[in-house]
Amino acid sequence: MGTQKPSSSSSSTWLKWLGFVTAVWVQSISGNNYTFSNYSDSLKTLMSLTQLQLNTLSVAKDVGKAFGILAGLASDRFPTPVILLIGSLEGLLSYGLQFLVVNQSIKPLPYSLMCVVLCMGGNSTTWMNTAVLVTCFRNFKRNRGPVSGILKGYIGLSTAIFTDLCSSLFASDPASFLLLLAVVPAVVCSTAMIFLRESPPSDGGDDAEDDEDEETRYFGAFNVVSVIIALYLLAYDVSGEHGRVLSRVFASVLLVLLASPLAVPAYVFVRSRWSPSRRRSSGSDAEEPLLVEAEVVVVDQGGEKEEEVKVVGKRMIGEDHTILEAIRTVDFWVLFVSFLCGVGSGLAVMNNMGQMGLAMGYSDVSVFVSLTSIGGFFGRIGSGTLSEYSIGAKAAVPRPLWNAVSQIVMAIGYVVMAIAMPGSLYIGSVVVGVCYGVRLAVSVPVASELFGLKYYGLIYNILILNLPLGSFLFSGLLAGLLYDSQATHIPGGGNTCVGAHCYRLVFVIMSFACLLGFGLDLLLTYRTKNIYLKIYENKKSRKQGKGKLRVKS
C-alpha cells in the first residue's frame, strides 16, 4: 500500500501559516513611520527649520496615510503581491531620497518637495499594512484579536528593531538608519510576495491544525516568541553602552529570533505529511459569518404550514458593509472620533519625542523612542489576545471597553509628563506607548466585526485617516505652535527650547482629549454589548457542536 499524500487542503494550511510568518516580517519593518524622531534633528539642522516647520514635515509623512484609500480600493481588485510591490517601491524611493539628503550626497531638497517625499514614505506603509491585515483577517477569521495583536505588535517593535540594529551596526548614524529604512522593507516585501496569499476556503477535509483551537495554540507560540524579542530588545536598551563585538552578537541573535516563527509552518507541514488521515468530523465554518440573524416564517403550502428560515435584510455585525453604509452609522463615527483622540495625541508624542527629550535635558533620546516602541508592542499584543479571550471564553466583554481603559490610562500618562518630575519622561513614554498600542490593536478588529471583511481594506484605510488628521491637529498645530511660542530663536534660523514648560500645556490639552475619547469608548461599549453577547454565544455553541461531533465519532 503506497504512502498517502497529504491533501491540497492540508498543503494550503501550512502555506497559510508560512504566509503569516512573512506577514509578521513585513510588520516588523513597516513601522518606519514611527521612526522620524531618530533622524528629525538632522533634517532640522541641515534645512535650518523651525520646530513648526519640522513638525509640518512629520505631518506630511502622516498625511501619506490619507492616500491609503488608494491601497484600500486596490486591495479589492488586485492580489496581495501587487499591493506589497507598490508599497515597497514607494518606500524605497522616499527613504532613499531622505538618505541622500542626510548623507549630504545631494543638496537638501526644497521644503515643499521634502514634504512630498515624506508623504510618499508614509503612504508606502499603508500598502504594506493593508495587504497584510486584509489577507490575514480573511485567512484567520475566527482569531481576529490575536491576528491584530501580533501584527500590530510587530509594527510597534519595528521602531526598536530598526533603532537597535542601526545603533549596534552603525553607531546610531542617521544616514545609515535611513538607508536601512529604504532597503530592508523592499527585501522583506519581496519574500512576502511569494508566500502571503489569501487561502482558499477550507472544507470538511481540512487537517485538525486548521481547527480554531489549534489556531489559538499556534498564535500562542507567536505571542511567546514576540514577547521574547521584546524583552531582548528592552534588555539591550537599558543595559547601557555596548562594545563592537557585543553589538554584533546582539544583531545576529535578533535576526535568529525574528526567523524562529518559521517553526510553526514547519511543524504544521510535518504533521500534515505524517498524519494525512487526520480530518475534521465537520465541515469548515470558514465562510460562515460571525453572526447570522434569522427569523422563522410560517409559509402556507397548500393547506400545510411549514417553517422556513430567512435572513433578516438589515445590515448587522459580521455582515459586509460598503463604506457608504458604514459611514451612515453612529457606531462608525463614535469609533472614528474616539480613535482620533487616542492615536492623534500618541502620534504627537512619537513625532516630538526627540525634541521632548532634548527639552528635558537628555542628550540621548533614542532610549525614549525604543521604550515607546516596546510599550506599544506589549499594548498591542496583550490587548489583541486578551480582548479575544474576554469575548469568547468568559464574560462576553465588548472589545471597545479595552479602548476606554487605554484612554483613561493615557490621560494619566500625559499628566505625569506635564508634572515633569525626575524620570517622568521614562514613565510617560512607556504608558503612552502601551495605550497607543491598545488603541490600534483593538480598533482594527472592532471595525471588521462591525462592518465585515468584504470591503474591509477600504474601511480600514478610512478609519486610519485619523493618523494624518491626528498628526496635523496634535503634532503639527498643537505641539508645534505651543513649542515655538516658548522657544528661543537661533541666529541663522531655527529655534530651541529647554525646560519642562516647553510641552507642559501640550500634555494638559492632550489629557483632556483622552478623557473625551474615554467617554466615547464607553458609549460604544454600551451600544455594542448585545452584539458581543451574540458573538460569545456563537463561539460557545460552535465549541459545543464540535465537542458533540467528537464524541459521536
Side-chain angles (χ1 to χ4, degrees), residues 275-387:
S275 304
S277 61
R278 296 188 64 199
R279 298 290 185 266
R280 282 191 192 180
S281 302
S282 63
S284 170
D285 54 13
E287 293 302 310
E288 176 189 347
L290 278 177
L291 293 177
V292 177
E293 184 171 311
E295 60 182 9
V296 177
V297 180
V298 178
V299 181
D300 192 341
Q301 298 279 3
E304 295 184 4
K305 293 183 177 180
E306 296 182 1
E307 288 186 349
E308 290 185 357
V309 177
K310 76 172 185 178
V311 177
V312 176
K314 183 181 179 181
R315 296 290 182 184
M316 55 176 295
I317 189 169
E319 291 189 351
D320 297 315
H321 289 63
T322 65
I323 187 59
L324 292 179
E325 291 170 336
I327 64 177
R328 289 172 186 159
T329 65
V330 174
D331 295 328
F332 179 86
W333 291 109
V334 172
L335 177 63
F336 188 91
V337 177
S338 69
F339 192 58
L340 172 65
C341 295
V343 299
S345 61
L347 276 174
V349 173
M350 294 178 185
N351 289 339
N352 292 274
M353 185 58 75
Q355 280 66 44
M356 288 176 181
L358 294 174
M360 297 297 293
Y362 295 97
S363 58
D364 182 10
V365 298
S366 62
V367 64
F368 300 113
V369 176
S370 293
L371 286 175
T372 304
S373 174
I374 294 171
F377 160 77
F378 282 108
R380 298 172 204 222
I381 200 165
S383 62
T385 299
L386 291 176
S387 65

Side-chain angles (χ1 to χ4, degrees), residues 250-278:
F250 160 80
S252 301
V253 173
L254 178 59
L255 293 176
V256 171
L257 289 174
L258 289 171
S260 62
L262 285 170
V264 170
Y267 174 74
V268 174
F269 174 76
V270 170
R271 274 188 89 173
S272 68
R273 298 287 294 183
W274 289 99
S275 304
S277 61
R278 296 188 64 199

Side-chain angles (χ1 to χ4, degrees), residues 75-76 134 138 319-321 451-458:
S75 69
D76 297 330
V134 171
R138 289 173 178 170
E319 291 189 351
D320 297 315
H321 289 63
F451 309 116
L453 288 173
K454 185 174 181 180
Y455 306 102
Y456 179 68
L458 182 56

